[in-house]
Each structure stands twice: as structure tokens, then as C-alpha cells.
Amino acid sequence: NQQRTTDDGQRTNMKIVFAVFGSLGDMHPMNALGLELKKRGHEIVFATMEFYREKIETLDFEFRPIQNRTFDHEFPRSDVRF
């Protein structure tokens, strides 16, 4: 269990941010890692594309949107249907 230690020797949990681009094949392993780290008491944040928000929040992680300019260039917003 990797935790930080303060100057007075107390253990503290970490805030860990996963920045994930790509498909669910990229996301799922990070979700599994995040779940285990959360069980160990760490605060988990996912910075990823907006269309993963529901999945991230369903797993009870904090979500922060980031823009994937490659995706936006290949699929203009007006053409994307989810």
C-alpha cells in the first residue's frame, strides 16, 4: 500500500489522476486500477473525453473533461451521433 508520509510520520492518501485517450480497451484497465486504488483509500480522478462521463461517474470516480482534438477533427460535432 503506497501512501505518502507527512513530516511527522503520518500516512496520507494520494489523489491520482488518470488521463485516458482512446477506446474502451484503453479505459477499462484504468477503471480496474482506479477501483483497486480507491479501495485502498486513494482519491481517483479521470480526465478524459466527455463521452466517457457517464461511465466514470457510474463507477463513482471524479470526472474532468478534456478535449481530444484528433477525435474532434475526424468527427465534427454536428456529425457525431451517440
Side-chain angles (χ1 to χ4, degrees):
N1 191 355
Q2 296 237 309
Q3 294 179 321
R4 292 182 284 182
T5 305
T6 62
D7 292 338
D8 62 357
Q10 292 186 348
R11 299 172 86 184
T12 61
N13 292 325
M14 293 184 275
K15 183 173 192 172
I16 301 167
V17 179
F18 291 98
V20 183
F21 289 97
S23 68
L24 289 174
D26 300 299
M27 180 63 72
H28 284 160
M30 297 301 105
N31 290 161
L33 184 56
L35 288 168
E36 181 60 33
L37 290 167
K38 188 172 183 167
K39 275 198 265 184
R40 295 178 184 209
H42 301 291
E43 183 180 350
I44 306 300
V45 178
F46 274 84
T48 189
M49 294 167 282
E50 185 66 38
F51 59 83
Y52 289 128
R53 177 186 292 271
E54 185 177 348
K55 181 167 192 62
I56 296 305
E57 291 177 346
T58 298
L59 293 170
D60 201 29
F61 295 128
E62 183 179 338
F63 173 82
R64 293 287 182 226
I66 52 178
Q67 187 175 22
N68 179 341
R69 295 194 185 282
T70 301
F71 180 84
D72 288 346
H73 176 71
E74 292 175 4
F75 304 101
R77 290 190 192 282
S78 62
D79 295 340
V80 175
R81 304 277 190 267
F82 290 104

